């Protein structure tokens, strides 16, 4: 288990996504980490940070648990193959539960594997026991070769997801998005994209 250091750090923006991914890469190199069972969990601003990080690198995680997280401004398409379990207190006045409800409904409508657990009498915290949350989390495993990949990004350096990589934008000032799926019957690939000038597919990872 890895946590940010305590002290003067507040809010997920105090630690860059690059730093977090460097730590994960280091752990994978030094310890027997199963790459299909790497999980993200965060509370409050940490929950928002977990959502933000997962939206940048969705193919690196098996599941995500945002606890009383604030905000819902993430590219929904990037969570198509990443299970997310929102947990939120209905009386939370720090990060309103309506944010979690909106995010949950958007992800559900898109087809993402998402659940929302509301706690009617809780505020900005999740009541114990937490064991059921962790049991759900550890049952999840990453699918490294999903049959459909959707990805949206604001820079080509963040354009990789599973077996798909966005290489170049048509307009560098706008985000780019791709929806690619494999026909299991004949192996053909259907691709639709917005603002993408070039992309590549890693056939060995498909």
């Amino acid at each position: 288990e890895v946590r940010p250091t305590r002290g003067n750090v507040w809010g997920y923006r105090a630690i860059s996504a690059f730093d977090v991914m460097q730590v994960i890469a280091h752990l994978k190199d030094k310890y027997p980490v199963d790459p299909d069972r790497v999980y993200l969990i965060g509370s409050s601003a940490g929950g928002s940070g977990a959502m933000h990080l997962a939206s940048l690198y969705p193919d690196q995680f098996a599941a995500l648990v945002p606890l009383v997280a604030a905000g819902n401004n993430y590219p929904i398409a990037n969570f198509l193959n990443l299970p997310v379990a929102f947990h939120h207190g209905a009386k939370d006045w720090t990060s309103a539960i309506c944010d979690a409800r909106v995010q949950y409904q958007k992800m559900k409508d898109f087809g993402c594997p998402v659940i929302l657990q509301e706690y009617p009498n809780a505020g900005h915290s999740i009541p114990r026991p937490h064991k059921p949350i962790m049991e759900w989390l550890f049952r999840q495993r990453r699918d490294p070769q999903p049959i459909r990949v959707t990805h949206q990004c604001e820079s080509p350096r963040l354009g990789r997801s599973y077996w798909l990589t966005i290489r170049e934008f048509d307009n560098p000032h706008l985000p780019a998005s791709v929806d690619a799926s494999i026909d299991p019957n004949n192996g053909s690939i259907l691709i639709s994209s917005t603002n993408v000038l070039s992309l590549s597919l890693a056939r060995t990872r498909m």
Side-chain angles (χ1 to χ4, degrees):
E1 180 179 342
V2 180
R3 298 170 178 256
T5 54
R6 296 180 182 270
N8 296 324
V9 176
W10 185 90
Y12 71 87
R13 293 178 181 85
I15 302 175
S16 76
F18 177 78
D19 291 336
V20 177
M21 297 309 296
Q22 288 290 96
V23 170
I24 294 174
H26 174 76
L27 291 173
K28 288 181 177 180
D29 181 56
K30 299 297 181 182
Y31 298 95
V33 174
D34 184 346
D36 295 330
R37 299 188 68 215
V38 178
Y39 308 102
L40 275 176
I41 186 168
S43 178
S44 190
S48 301
M51 289 293 292
H52 173 72
L53 182 67
S55 72
L56 300 178
Y57 305 98
D59 61 348
Q60 298 299 303
F61 303 101
L64 171 64
V65 175
L67 307 172
V68 295
N72 54 36
N73 187 26
Y74 314 103
I76 298 300
N78 297 6
F79 293 92
L80 181 65
N81 298 296
L82 178 58
V84 177
F86 291 101
H87 291 264
H88 217 102
K91 297 181 179 180
D92 189 342
W93 289 100
T94 301
S95 56
I97 193 171
C98 61
D99 283 337
R101 288 171 177 166
V102 167
Q103 183 75 351
Y104 163 76
Q105 193 60 53
K106 286 182 178 179
M107 295 175 72
K108 183 179 179 182
D109 291 345
F110 191 78
C112 303
V114 60
I115 60 176
L116 169 61
Q117 176 65 54
E118 297 187 15
Y119 301 83
N121 299 315
H124 194 56
S125 63
I126 301 301
R128 295 183 181 277
H130 296 161
K131 185 178 179 181
I133 298 176
M134 303 309 294
E135 288 178 341
W136 174 88
L137 185 67
F138 294 143
R139 285 198 301 269
Q140 311 307 310
R141 296 185 67 88
R142 180 186 68 135
D143 179 4
Q145 297 174 311
I147 200 168
R148 181 185 175 197
V149 174
T150 58
H151 193 70
Q152 179 180 333
C153 60
E154 296 182 352
S155 167
R157 68 182 180 83
L158 297 171
R160 182 185 176 279
S161 185
Y162 301 96
W163 39 263
L164 170 72
T165 302
I166 299 173
R167 296 289 182 186
E168 190 176 358
F169 287 16
D170 186 35
N171 184 340
H173 305 292
L174 296 174
S177 62
V178 173
D179 186 338
S181 58
I182 304 170
D183 188 327
N185 296 317
N186 57 25
S188 63
I189 304 170
L190 178 64
I191 300 175
S192 61
S193 64
T194 301
N195 195 36
V196 175
L197 190 61
S198 65
L199 59 83
S200 63
L201 307 175
R203 295 187 63 181
T204 58
R205 294 201 304 266
M206 297 171 71

